[in-house]
Each structure stands twice: as structure tokens, then as C-alpha cells.
Amino acid sequence: MHITYSTASKLPDALTIDGVTTDWDFTPSPVMRWERRQMAERFARAVHRRPASHVVVPASAQKAWIVYFLFAPDGVLQSAHRFTLARLREEGLPILVVCSCADKSRMPADLPALCDALLWKATPGYDFSAYTLALRHLSRRSPGADVIVMNDSVFGPFTPLRPVLDSSRWDLTGFTASSELTNHVQSYAFCLRDVTPARMARLATVFFPFGALSAPQDVIALQETRMARVAARSMTVGALWFSDATRVHNPTLVKPMELLDAGFPFLKRALLTKSSNYIERDVVLERLARRGHPLDV
């Protein structure tokens, strides 16, 4: 079953989801002095040299781009990657892929035909190292472009992303946000307007130009949960859905089917692996099948 969607679709409907609000303007949580000191110490302990990278196919000047980070350490594209790339092609925007594998010679042979620009990244570093590589590249090659950014921790998209980019009222738009740990925009996917060298310079304390982090908890503490806070110093920030962590700590895990029904474009892949305790596997697979997604996941 294949579902085709129109990029003329409206933004997601504001269906009522218990514990989740819509159209949320970011407000930074207070940060104590000891927390700042702790973050500085963590950064000094965890940061390492940025991973090696190579421009395989450079980007061209465009009004908008989609950035997709995929992890293919063995040089093989998974069926979920191919599904996502096919869906992204339907958005009608050029696609920049950052592929992470052990060596650039091991990248999937057919990947250049599936995107418009291609960057290779070595495996050290987490998703923010790929985001930094892609956004800095676009800031030079396509300055001023609006960009949809996502990684392969999600299945989908199952509904169009372009209306979010076109119609959002913020400069940095998260699909979901949470107050878990601190108010923050979740980083598996977001939209960033007007990507220029100046904008990337203002975000340099999140998208590190010379270093990277590899441990997930370090990335969460020093990059994901700080992205909205740093961005809000120079731009507007918000999210389509926001959850108060005292009720719903992570909306993509606690309310995945409710979000899908409300127009949310993704399902977290972790629902079938490390976060499988949140929902029955068969329920996730049934919803994937209904959306035309391959089930060899």
C-alpha cells in the first residue's frame, strides 16, 4: 500500500491530545550558576575533534533544502532509509544527505542518484556533528536558504513537511518540544530559516565548528536541550506540539499514535527497540503497514 500526499496540505490540525499543547512559543527555563559550571566541565571532558568529512556532491544555491542525516556504517541503505528518501523527494525540494559510514569509499553506490547534494561523515560524532556539517555547507553554498533538518531516528515522513517550513511563524521550528530536563525543542527534526554564515556563527555554541560529541547523554545535555535557548537569543523559536514533562515527558514516545492522528509526520524508530516498553510492537507495525512503510525494520 502506497500513500501519496500533497505538499499543498495544511499544517497539522490542533487535535486535542491529553498532556500536549499546540503552537508553543519557546520560553527558556531558568539556568542556575552551578548548572552552567557543570555544563562547562562536561564539555571540556567530552568534546573531541570533529569527525572527518568530504563533500561528494556540493549543494547549489536554492531557496530551500531538506537535510537528511543517515547512519549506514556497513554501507547499506535500509528499507526505512529508502522510504524516507522517496517521501522527501515528493516534497519538491532539493535533498542534501549526510551519510555516516566508516569510509567514504563504502557509501551506498546508488545514494548520489537519490539526492541532490551528498556529504560523507566519519562515524564518530552524533547527529549534531552531521547537522553542523550540512548547515555550515549550506550557509556557504546556498546562503539564506530555509532548511528542513531530520535524522534517521524516525520513520516517515507520513505527512508533508514543506507546509511546516512554508507556514511556520518561527525562525526555528520544532515538530515537538518538551520540558523534560529543561524547556527544549526536540532535535530529531526541525526547520531553520535563513541559514547564513552569520546565523551559524550565532549558533556556534550548539553547532560546534571545530569539535563534536559522541555520547548521547552529552549531546542531549550540551546540544539538544540548549539549541532552542541559544537560538532564542537571535531569532523566534517554537514548536507545533509541546508536552509538560510532569504529565508527558516525551510526546513522541508516550503519545505516538495520538500525534500521528493529529498530523505528526513521524514515528520514532526507538518504539521498536530501546523504547519498546511504551507501546506494543504489533501496534507500531500495524500503523507502519497502514502508511505503506516496509516492515523489515
Side-chain angles (χ1 to χ4, degrees):
M1 178 181 178
H2 178 77
I3 298 175
T4 300
Y5 55 70
S6 168
T7 54
S9 299
K10 297 179 181 179
L11 289 176
D13 293 328
L15 300 182
T16 300
I17 302 175
D18 186 38
V20 179
T21 59
T22 57
D23 195 37
W24 176 72
D25 289 305
F26 171 75
T27 302
S29 304
V31 180
M32 301 295 103
R33 183 176 300 178
W34 65 266
E35 291 177 293
R36 296 184 189 279
R37 183 173 63 251
Q38 189 178 71
M39 285 189 288
E41 292 170 352
R42 186 169 198 154
F43 177 83
R45 182 175 64 250
V47 71
H48 58 79
R49 182 179 300 178
R50 66 181 181 181
S53 63
H54 178 71
V55 178
V56 181
V57 180
S60 58
Q62 305 287 341
K63 292 183 178 179
W65 279 88
I66 299 173
V67 166
Y68 179 43
F69 168 52
L70 64 86
F71 185 64
D74 54 3
V76 176
L77 285 181
Q78 301 171 7
S79 59
H81 291 143
R82 295 185 182 278
F83 180 92
T84 294
L85 286 165
R87 278 291 193 267
L88 294 180
R89 182 60 71 194
E90 294 182 35
E91 300 284 347
L93 295 174
I95 303 166
L96 185 158
V97 168
V98 180
C99 178
S100 179
C101 57
D103 186 270
K104 58 180 179 292
S105 65
R106 297 186 61 186
M107 284 199 305
D110 61 340
L111 188 52
L114 301 176
C115 57
D116 303 282
L118 179 60
L119 310 180
W120 166 78
K121 185 187 81 68
T123 52
Y126 213 61
D127 53 358
F128 270 83
S129 68
Y131 295 166
T132 300
L133 180 64
L135 290 171
R136 288 177 63 83
H137 179 75
L138 288 176
S139 75
R140 297 187 299 268
R141 300 285 305 191
S142 186
D146 296 336
V147 184
I148 301 168
V149 181
M150 64 173 289
N151 65 34
D152 66 356
S153 70
V154 291
F155 298 119
F158 301 113
T159 57
L161 305 180
R162 189 168 181 175
V164 178
L165 184 68
D166 291 343
S167 303
S168 171
R169 60 189 179 84
W170 304 289
D171 297 313
L172 172 63
T173 300
F175 287 87
T176 54
S178 169
S179 64
E180 185 179 18
L181 301 178
T182 185
N183 282 355
H184 71 282
V185 165
Q186 294 182 291
S187 62
Y188 59 86
F190 57 90
C191 301
L192 181 62
R193 296 193 189 282
D194 191 29
V195 175
T196 62
R199 173 143 287 181
M200 294 310 299
R202 288 191 288 269
L203 296 174
T205 58
V206 171
F207 299 100
F208 309 145
F210 302 113
L213 303 169
S214 287
Q217 291 307 311
D218 292 331
V219 173
I220 291 170
L222 298 173
Q223 293 180 289
E224 180 178 42
T225 55
R226 293 182 60 250
M227 179 173 67
R229 175 186 301 278
V230 173
R233 297 169 187 164
S234 60
M235 67 188 84
T236 56
V237 180
L240 302 183
W241 289 276
F242 169 77
S243 67
D244 179 342
T246 61
R247 300 181 64 193
V248 176
H249 74 92
N250 185 333
T252 66
L253 301 178
V254 179
K255 301 285 185 176
M257 299 309 165
E258 294 89 338
L259 283 170
L260 270 182
D261 291 340
F264 179 63
F266 306 111
L267 266 177
K268 292 289 286 186
R269 296 178 70 164
L271 290 168
L272 294 177
T273 54
K274 63 182 179 181
S275 300
S276 59
N277 56 303
Y278 285 94
I279 190 168
E280 293 292 333
R281 179 180 178 86
D282 288 348
V283 174
V284 178
L285 293 177
E286 188 278 332
R287 188 59 67 96
L288 288 175
R290 194 189 310 175
R291 299 291 179 123
H293 195 284
L295 297 183
D296 55 334
V297 292

